[in-house]
Amino acid sequence: MLSAWIAEQGQHCTINVGLWQDNGRNEAPAWGIFLADTIRHIANALQEQYGQPAPDSISAILESLHNELGDPTSAVQGGFSHGHG
């Protein structure tokens, strides 16, 4: 669904949209569930690797996410390709 990496001093990603929509689900809320699960995995990894309590990491991630959405540190570049048809 999502592959993201840092290269050349910026974020790069590949996003597969439409899978949920094509299967009769509302795409945006499904992405919310997917991202929430991903945040939980990150928090669990931080707890295992560094001993940071997972709930604290989740709170910090959500605070940073809200701040970044409200006041981005950089502009989004690139575009959406509809893939191979």
Side-chain angles (χ1 to χ4, degrees):
M1 299 304 302
L2 171 67
S3 178
W5 61 99
I6 303 296
E8 300 173 359
Q9 300 180 357
Q11 182 187 41
H12 300 263
C13 60
T14 301
I15 303 169
N16 181 6
V17 296
L19 180 65
W20 287 302
Q21 197 76 28
D22 293 345
N23 286 286
R25 295 193 58 199
N26 191 334
E27 189 82 11
W31 274 100
I33 293 167
F34 175 83
L35 292 173
D37 289 347
T38 302
I39 289 169
R40 282 193 289 271
H41 284 296
I42 293 166
N44 290 339
L46 291 172
Q47 181 170 323
E48 186 174 319
Q49 185 73 24
Y50 301 111
Q52 299 173 1
D56 293 350
S57 292
I58 290 171
S59 292
I61 291 168
L62 290 176
E63 181 179 352
S64 178
L65 176 65
H66 287 204
N67 290 341
E68 184 65 21
L69 288 171
D71 186 17
T73 55
S74 63
V76 173
Q77 297 179 356
F80 178 71
S81 172
H82 291 276
H84 306 289

Short mmCIF file of all heavy atoms in Angstrom, two decimals, residues 3-30:
data_model
loop_
_atom_site.label_atom_id
_atom_site.label_comp_id
_atom_site.label_asym_id
_atom_site.label_seq_id
_atom_site.Cartn_x
_atom_site.Cartn_y
_atom_site.Cartn_z
N SER A 3 5.12 2.53 0.31
CA SER A 3 6.55 2.34 0.47
C SER A 3 7.16 3.73 0.52
O SER A 3 6.88 4.55 -0.36
CB SER A 3 7.11 1.55 -0.71
OG SER A 3 8.50 1.39 -0.59
N ALA A 4 7.94 4.02 1.57
CA ALA A 4 8.52 5.35 1.72
C ALA A 4 9.98 5.22 2.14
O ALA A 4 10.34 4.31 2.87
CB ALA A 4 7.73 6.14 2.76
N TRP A 5 10.80 6.16 1.66
CA TRP A 5 12.21 6.15 1.99
C TRP A 5 12.76 7.57 1.89
O TRP A 5 12.14 8.43 1.29
CB TRP A 5 12.98 5.18 1.10
CG TRP A 5 12.92 5.51 -0.37
CD1 TRP A 5 13.88 6.17 -1.10
CD2 TRP A 5 11.86 5.22 -1.30
NE1 TRP A 5 13.48 6.29 -2.41
CE2 TRP A 5 12.24 5.73 -2.56
CE3 TRP A 5 10.62 4.59 -1.19
CZ2 TRP A 5 11.44 5.62 -3.70
CZ3 TRP A 5 9.83 4.48 -2.31
CH2 TRP A 5 10.24 4.99 -3.55
N ILE A 6 13.93 7.77 2.47
CA ILE A 6 14.63 9.05 2.42
C ILE A 6 15.81 8.89 1.46
O ILE A 6 16.60 7.96 1.60
CB ILE A 6 15.15 9.48 3.81
CG1 ILE A 6 14.00 9.56 4.82
CG2 ILE A 6 15.91 10.80 3.72
CD1 ILE A 6 12.95 10.60 4.53
N ALA A 7 15.92 9.79 0.50
CA ALA A 7 17.04 9.79 -0.45
C ALA A 7 17.19 11.20 -0.99
O ALA A 7 16.21 11.95 -1.09
CB ALA A 7 16.78 8.82 -1.60
N GLU A 8 18.42 11.57 -1.32
CA GLU A 8 18.69 12.88 -1.90
C GLU A 8 18.06 14.00 -1.07
O GLU A 8 17.43 14.91 -1.60
CB GLU A 8 18.23 12.92 -3.35
CG GLU A 8 18.92 11.88 -4.22
CD GLU A 8 18.35 11.79 -5.63
OE1 GLU A 8 17.40 12.52 -5.95
OE2 GLU A 8 18.87 10.96 -6.39
N GLN A 9 18.17 13.89 0.23
CA GLN A 9 17.70 14.89 1.19
C GLN A 9 16.19 15.12 1.13
O GLN A 9 15.70 16.22 1.40
CB GLN A 9 18.45 16.21 1.01
CG GLN A 9 19.93 16.07 1.21
CD GLN A 9 20.68 17.37 1.04
OE1 GLN A 9 20.10 18.40 0.72
NE2 GLN A 9 21.98 17.33 1.26
N GLY A 10 15.44 14.09 0.79
CA GLY A 10 14.00 14.24 0.76
C GLY A 10 13.28 12.91 0.86
O GLY A 10 13.89 11.85 0.72
N GLN A 11 12.00 12.98 1.13
CA GLN A 11 11.17 11.79 1.22
C GLN A 11 10.69 11.40 -0.17
O GLN A 11 10.30 12.25 -0.97
CB GLN A 11 9.96 12.04 2.12
CG GLN A 11 9.09 10.80 2.27
CD GLN A 11 7.81 11.07 3.03
OE1 GLN A 11 7.18 12.10 2.82
NE2 GLN A 11 7.43 10.16 3.89
N HIS A 12 10.70 10.12 -0.42
CA HIS A 12 10.17 9.56 -1.65
C HIS A 12 9.18 8.48 -1.27
O HIS A 12 9.37 7.78 -0.27
CB HIS A 12 11.30 8.95 -2.50
CG HIS A 12 12.35 9.94 -2.88
ND1 HIS A 12 12.35 10.57 -4.10
CD2 HIS A 12 13.41 10.43 -2.20
CE1 HIS A 12 13.38 11.39 -4.16
NE2 HIS A 12 14.04 11.33 -3.01
N CYS A 13 8.12 8.34 -2.03
CA CYS A 13 7.16 7.30 -1.69
C CYS A 13 6.41 6.81 -2.92
O CYS A 13 6.28 7.51 -3.92
CB CYS A 13 6.19 7.76 -0.62
SG CYS A 13 5.19 9.18 -1.04
N THR A 14 5.96 5.60 -2.78
CA THR A 14 5.06 4.99 -3.74
C THR A 14 3.80 4.63 -2.98
O THR A 14 3.87 3.99 -1.93
CB THR A 14 5.69 3.72 -4.34
OG1 THR A 14 6.92 4.07 -4.98
CG2 THR A 14 4.77 3.07 -5.35
N ILE A 15 2.67 5.06 -3.48
CA ILE A 15 1.39 4.85 -2.79
C ILE A 15 0.42 4.16 -3.75
O ILE A 15 0.25 4.60 -4.88
CB ILE A 15 0.79 6.19 -2.32
CG1 ILE A 15 1.78 6.93 -1.42
CG2 ILE A 15 -0.54 5.96 -1.61
CD1 ILE A 15 1.38 8.36 -1.13
N ASN A 16 -0.18 3.10 -3.28
CA ASN A 16 -1.17 2.38 -4.07
C ASN A 16 -2.56 2.76 -3.58
O ASN A 16 -3.02 2.27 -2.56
CB ASN A 16 -0.94 0.86 -3.92
CG ASN A 16 -1.91 0.04 -4.75
OD1 ASN A 16 -2.70 0.57 -5.52
ND2 ASN A 16 -1.86 -1.26 -4.58
N VAL A 17 -3.20 3.69 -4.28
CA VAL A 17 -4.56 4.06 -3.90
C VAL A 17 -5.55 3.34 -4.81
O VAL A 17 -5.23 2.99 -5.94
CB VAL A 17 -4.80 5.59 -3.98
CG1 VAL A 17 -3.93 6.31 -2.98
CG2 VAL A 17 -4.57 6.13 -5.36
N GLY A 18 -6.73 3.11 -4.28
CA GLY A 18 -7.79 2.51 -5.06
C GLY A 18 -8.10 1.07 -4.70
O GLY A 18 -9.18 0.58 -5.03
N LEU A 19 -7.19 0.40 -4.01
CA LEU A 19 -7.43 -1.00 -3.68
C LEU A 19 -8.67 -1.16 -2.82
O LEU A 19 -9.53 -2.00 -3.08
CB LEU A 19 -6.21 -1.60 -2.97
CG LEU A 19 -6.34 -3.06 -2.57
CD1 LEU A 19 -6.45 -3.95 -3.80
CD2 LEU A 19 -5.17 -3.50 -1.70
N TRP A 20 -8.76 -0.34 -1.76
CA TRP A 20 -9.94 -0.43 -0.90
C TRP A 20 -11.20 -0.01 -1.65
O TRP A 20 -12.24 -0.66 -1.55
CB TRP A 20 -9.76 0.41 0.36
CG TRP A 20 -8.78 -0.18 1.33
CD1 TRP A 20 -8.85 -1.41 1.93
CD2 TRP A 20 -7.59 0.41 1.83
NE1 TRP A 20 -7.79 -1.61 2.75
CE2 TRP A 20 -6.98 -0.50 2.72
CE3 TRP A 20 -6.97 1.63 1.62
CZ2 TRP A 20 -5.81 -0.24 3.40
CZ3 TRP A 20 -5.79 1.91 2.29
CH2 TRP A 20 -5.22 0.98 3.17
N GLN A 21 -11.11 1.09 -2.39
CA GLN A 21 -12.26 1.59 -3.14
C GLN A 21 -12.76 0.53 -4.12
O GLN A 21 -13.96 0.31 -4.26
CB GLN A 21 -11.88 2.87 -3.89
CG GLN A 21 -13.05 3.68 -4.36
CD GLN A 21 -13.73 4.45 -3.24
OE1 GLN A 21 -13.11 4.82 -2.25
NE2 GLN A 21 -15.01 4.70 -3.40
N ASP A 22 -11.81 -0.13 -4.78
CA ASP A 22 -12.16 -1.17 -5.75
C ASP A 22 -12.80 -2.38 -5.10
O ASP A 22 -13.42 -3.20 -5.77
CB ASP A 22 -10.93 -1.61 -6.53
CG ASP A 22 -10.39 -0.52 -7.44
OD1 ASP A 22 -11.10 0.48 -7.69
OD2 ASP A 22 -9.22 -0.66 -7.90
N ASN A 23 -12.67 -2.49 -3.77
CA ASN A 23 -13.25 -3.62 -3.03
C ASN A 23 -14.42 -3.17 -2.16
O ASN A 23 -14.75 -3.82 -1.16
CB ASN A 23 -12.17 -4.31 -2.19
CG ASN A 23 -11.24 -5.12 -3.07
OD1 ASN A 23 -11.62 -6.19 -3.55
ND2 ASN A 23 -10.05 -4.62 -3.31
N GLY A 24 -15.04 -2.04 -2.53
CA GLY A 24 -16.27 -1.61 -1.89
C GLY A 24 -16.12 -0.89 -0.56
O GLY A 24 -17.10 -0.71 0.15
N ARG A 25 -14.89 -0.45 -0.22
CA ARG A 25 -14.68 0.29 1.02
C ARG A 25 -14.39 1.75 0.70
O ARG A 25 -13.88 2.06 -0.36
CB ARG A 25 -13.52 -0.31 1.80
CG ARG A 25 -13.82 -1.73 2.25
CD ARG A 25 -12.87 -2.25 3.27
NE ARG A 25 -12.85 -1.41 4.46
CZ ARG A 25 -11.86 -1.44 5.33
NH1 ARG A 25 -10.83 -2.22 5.15
NH2 ARG A 25 -11.89 -0.67 6.39
N ASN A 26 -14.69 2.60 1.65
CA ASN A 26 -14.38 4.01 1.51
C ASN A 26 -12.86 4.17 1.71
O ASN A 26 -12.32 3.82 2.75
CB ASN A 26 -15.16 4.83 2.55
CG ASN A 26 -15.07 6.31 2.28
OD1 ASN A 26 -14.11 6.80 1.69
ND2 ASN A 26 -16.07 7.03 2.75
N GLU A 27 -12.19 4.69 0.72
CA GLU A 27 -10.73 4.73 0.69
C GLU A 27 -10.12 5.54 1.86
O GLU A 27 -9.19 5.06 2.52
CB GLU A 27 -10.26 5.31 -0.65
CG GLU A 27 -8.79 5.21 -0.89
CD GLU A 27 -8.31 3.87 -1.41
OE1 GLU A 27 -9.12 3.02 -1.80
OE2 GLU A 27 -7.09 3.68 -1.41
N ALA A 28 -10.60 6.75 2.11
CA ALA A 28 -9.96 7.62 3.11
C ALA A 28 -9.98 7.01 4.52
O ALA A 28 -8.93 6.95 5.18
CB ALA A 28 -10.58 9.01 3.09
N PRO A 29 -11.13 6.54 5.03
CA PRO A 29 -11.11 5.93 6.37
C PRO A 29 -10.24 4.66 6.44
O PRO A 29 -9.62 4.39 7.46
CB PRO A 29 -12.57 5.60 6.65
CG PRO A 29 -13.35 6.50 5.77
CD PRO A 29 -12.50 6.69 4.54
N ALA A 30 -10.17 3.92 5.35
CA ALA A 30 -9.32 2.73 5.33
C ALA A 30 -7.85 3.12 5.49
O ALA A 30 -7.09 2.44 6.19
CB ALA A 30 -9.54 1.93 4.05
#
